[in-house]
Amino acid sequence: MDTGSAEAWRLKLLTPSSWWGARWREALPAGNGRLGAAVYGGVHHETIMLTHGDLWWQSRTPELPDVSERLADMRRLMLAGREAEAEPMLIRELQNLGYDPVMAVPLPLGDLTIRCEVGEGFKHYSRELDMQTGEIIVRWQDRGAAFERALFVSRPDDMVVMELRAEEPSAVRAGLSLGLHDPADVKRPPGRPEAPLPTDAESGADGAYVWYAARSDDGSEFGAVARIVPADGSLAAAGAETVVEGAGKVLVLLRMFVSGSREAEWARLKAELAAEQRGYRELLAAHVREHRGLFDRVSLDLSAGGRERSNEELLLEAYQGEAPLALVEKMWAYGRYLLISSSREGGNPCHLYGLWCGEYRGFWAFNMANENLQMMYWQALSGRMPELLLTVFDYMERLLDDFRSNARHLFGCRGIFIPAPTAPDSGLVKTLAPHIVHWTGAAGWVAQHYYDYYLYTGDREFLRNRALPFLREVALFYEDFFVVGEDGRLLSCPSNSPENRPGNGAGGPKGTTINATMDFAIAKEVLSRLVAGAEEEGMYPGEIPVWKELLRRIPDYQVNEDGAVREWMHPSYDDEYHHRHQSHLYPVFPGKEMTKEKDPVLFEAFWTAVRKRLVVGIKEQTGWSLAHMANLYARLGEGDLALECLDLLSRSSVINNFYTLHNDWRQMGIGLAMDWAPVQLDANMGWTAAVQEMLLYSEPGLLKILPALPSKWRRGRVQGLSACGGIEVDIGWDGEQGRLEVKLASSTADQRVLVKLPEGAETVEGRCTLRNTAGQRAPLAAKQGLEIPLRLHAGEATVLTAAFRPSANRG
């Protein structure tokens, strides 16, 4: 990216964390996919909140009773129109049998505290995050001298690394300590009881080290050790604090543990840290190579001005109606940064708080698979970070036995049932609510990521050994769960369209229905892909006919009197537009079943359904639903409307450190009116995905270039996007100069692809890629029109140039 400076990938704040009673919410986050650190930015009293992706607590997991015999009675009542009676049957039976589970939540590991002397009072304050390197620096001046604290979380060395610096020799005077995450920093939602705290907290110091441990509710111990290495000056222990005097620079190395005996773990970590001989710069260089190796795979340049402005300044401009281009760029990069920092193979997926939950009983702090988990990872494949999805697959496969128990004990089915919310300790259904127990789409929606991973990477071994077996588990559930109605079509009962209920009051009070459109949209995708993949690999020959028959019996999509696709296929249920979920639009996004080219009439009905949600229900939206809607509008080719959703999001649910929240707590009329505004980083990731959707659409054999380019994005460049088939795509456009350039390179194999250029593209020229039968390269002849069939050769680049005069998008 030619930015002219490093400002494009830098977040700069002119204020420290200041959210009253919960300052962790505005901290700057660092992480290596497993360890997290959140920098508050205080001058006199600095807090670094420490977190670990494997540290969860407060779980209760009794044995799941078998209530599947109640399913037949439940269905009989529902088909008779008595959904209100049927809705509580399975849940009430579980409760009558004594099933009383509790979902685990993330537990903050502790706080590293730095206490510094203040002389004349700070001036010229800032705290900055360099997303390209993962380094956070707090800067200020005092007594006429400059001070810095720099921190990163090393990806290769699994260690928090910090350096305290002073412009003047011997000016660093600080006390460092480790302890329990400050309970005063936790603000609970209205009406919720105070959360318990870990017990047996113990801190210590001996000058060269500080340490800490506490005990979780299950008796396990966790904690950290930090080694303090001054370049000069002196160290001394003062109780549980190490005091540094007269230093110009101080290195701090910190490691965490989440199990084992505290005494043994303290000794082990002290020995490991004592053996580390590298300085801050060497450790940073090793980290940057790995972190930047992921982050720099894709770059975006929208020719934005004002990239040097602070987060606060950019948000103030957004509040006037439009997010400035610099904010759009930085939010795109931030979603990428957050996913990299909170995901790695062998760990746990990024949950709603990423790695940085500062609550002891986090509000909705779990992996939520009726939208949110998927949204976080939408960006990974097109953003050329497929390995980050491996943590999702590892997680799901670790919990497969629990998912099978859910299917068997709730519904008497083979295969798997994934509850919408789960935590790493258990995949059993724990939220006993109708919209959780009666929604069966999570497993199929997760399966989309599995098969997409194969389509983007071409990894046939993954297809055979992981993707197809997972899809088969989903299909086994469908074989047993779906029933055939009187018309010969399938019935999904009980059913739920996530968190919505019909507008005419029909169905169960909590949304239990028959034949939610989403159920069959997901099932159609799973079964179609399973058939295609199994036939390609010669697997499951005896089961393929069963899956084809299920596909034949899936009901058709239906359109209501407004011309919008219906959210429920059953005639008893009317649509409810005032809602944040857009579940029935799955065939357009995140699915790829429905496009304008495949079925223009039905595609228009999906477009109408999207428009109804935003026009009628703006007060019903949330941060993540606006991000979802931006992706939907991009898939519909409506770039200006997609960008408008991001504008709304920036004004309603983005705070100073650019974290996204579930809703606006300030009563401004955009989104749900809730007094409590939980952190939900899914909208951060959804923003990144939406920008990528505006710039590139792909399915096997087809690429759409700039399919939803907003009219305000007059010129720009994106480099390194990935398309199905392992095609790397660079796009540069300049509407003022009238030029478009597209570079394509297949990393997997020779392949044919149809390239569809945006409206406004005219004469096309190609160079340097086509071969004749003798193996000689030949230029691509000039073409007129928007669609260009190409044969790409592995390892070679194809470049297309076109005259380009973009027009404004519809809407």
Side-chain angles (χ1 to χ4, degrees), residues 24 36-40 47-51 108 110-112 181 356-358:
W24 65 270
V39 179
Y40 290 24
T47 298
I48 312 294
M49 183 180 72
L50 305 172
T51 54
D111 289 344
L112 171 63
H181 176 56
W356 306 280
C357 180

Side-chain angles (χ1 to χ4, degrees), residues 23-345:
R23 291 182 299 132
W24 65 270
R25 294 166 68 103
E26 286 186 5
L28 283 177
N32 69 356
R34 182 179 296 109
L35 309 184
V39 179
Y40 290 24
V43 168
H44 170 57
H45 191 280
E46 172 66 294
T47 298
I48 312 294
M49 183 180 72
L50 305 172
T51 54
H52 195 297
D54 294 335
L55 189 58
W56 295 63
W57 78 325
Q58 297 184 33
S59 174
R60 184 167 63 241
T61 310
E63 183 177 350
L64 179 65
D66 190 334
V67 298
S68 59
E69 290 185 357
R70 302 292 288 157
L71 182 61
D73 290 340
M74 182 183 183
R75 282 175 167 164
R76 177 179 53 79
L77 289 172
M78 291 193 66
L79 292 169
R82 296 161 63 185
E83 296 99 323
E85 295 177 59
E87 186 176 72
M89 289 181 67
L90 295 181
I91 294 167
R92 187 177 296 149
E93 187 70 10
L94 287 169
Q95 293 169 333
N96 289 341
L97 293 171
Y99 188 58
D100 184 27
V102 176
M103 182 77 65
V105 292
L107 170 60
L109 185 137
D111 289 344
L112 171 63
T113 301
I114 302 102
R115 180 182 52 81
C116 289
E117 289 187 11
V118 176
E120 299 172 356
F122 72 88
K123 297 178 182 178
H124 306 298
Y125 174 89
S126 69
R127 56 185 174 121
E128 299 182 1
L129 165 62
D130 186 333
M131 294 180 278
Q132 210 168 23
T133 66
E135 186 181 29
I136 298 168
I137 301 181
V138 180
R139 296 183 174 94
W140 72 96
Q141 289 184 8
D142 188 14
R143 302 183 299 274
F147 293 83
E148 289 184 353
R149 295 192 203 103
L151 177 144
F152 64 94
V153 183
S154 173
R155 205 168 181 95
D157 293 301
D158 223 27
M159 181 166 57
V160 179
V161 182
M162 181 173 66
E163 190 166 68
L164 315 182
R165 306 167 187 154
E167 181 180 36
E168 293 184 356
S170 306
V172 175
R173 295 186 291 275
L176 296 94
S177 60
L178 281 165
L180 196 69
H181 176 56
D182 186 0
D185 194 46
V186 178
K187 183 179 180 182
R188 63 184 185 273
R192 295 197 76 181
E194 187 171 348
L197 298 176
T199 58
D200 298 326
E202 180 182 358
S203 301
D206 64 6
Y209 295 90
V210 294
W211 56 84
Y212 148 79
R215 193 179 306 279
S216 186
D217 59 334
D218 64 359
S220 62
E221 296 192 316
F222 60 90
V225 175
R227 178 186 173 203
I228 302 163
V229 188
D232 44 31
S234 64
L235 293 175
E241 183 180 66
T242 284
V243 178
V244 182
E245 292 280 357
K249 188 180 295 184
V250 180
L251 177 66
V252 180
L253 307 175
L254 183 146
R255 283 192 168 150
M256 311 177 202
F257 67 93
V258 295
S259 62
S261 161
R262 63 180 67 189
E263 296 289 347
E265 292 301 304
W266 286 340
R268 177 180 66 84
L269 294 182
K270 284 181 182 180
E272 290 178 3
L273 294 172
E276 180 56 69
Q277 298 300 309
R278 290 170 293 176
Y280 184 90
R281 293 300 168 192
E282 291 175 280
L283 290 164
L284 178 62
H287 165 70
V288 168
R289 281 193 295 272
E290 195 165 319
H291 175 91
R292 195 167 179 174
L294 286 165
F295 187 86
D296 280 358
R297 289 181 189 172
V298 180
S299 65
L300 173 69
D301 182 353
L302 297 178
S303 300
R307 290 170 177 150
E308 74 287 349
R309 287 184 292 171
S310 69
N311 288 22
E312 296 96 336
E313 291 169 311
L314 292 169
L315 283 173
L316 284 173
E317 182 175 337
Y319 295 155
Q320 302 310 307
E322 295 181 1
L325 287 178
L327 176 60
V328 173
E329 289 179 341
K330 288 173 187 281
M331 285 290 289
W332 170 83
Y334 197 37
R336 185 174 181 84
Y337 169 82
L338 291 170
L339 190 64
I340 291 170
S341 300
S342 56
S343 296
R344 69 186 300 157
E345 187 176 4

Side-chain angles (χ1 to χ4, degrees), residues 504-553:
N504 59 344
K510 300 297 184 180
T512 303
T513 57
I514 302 167
N515 282 16
T517 297
M518 186 188 211
D519 286 358
F520 290 120
I522 292 175
K524 187 186 296 187
E525 179 183 72
V526 169
L527 294 167
S528 299
R529 289 176 154 192
L530 185 53
V531 168
E535 289 181 338
E536 181 180 342
E537 295 300 317
M539 297 171 66
Y540 314 130
E543 299 175 74
I544 291 175
V546 176
W547 300 332
K548 288 184 175 179
E549 179 64 13
L550 283 175
L551 280 167
R552 189 183 69 80
R553 292 183 180 273

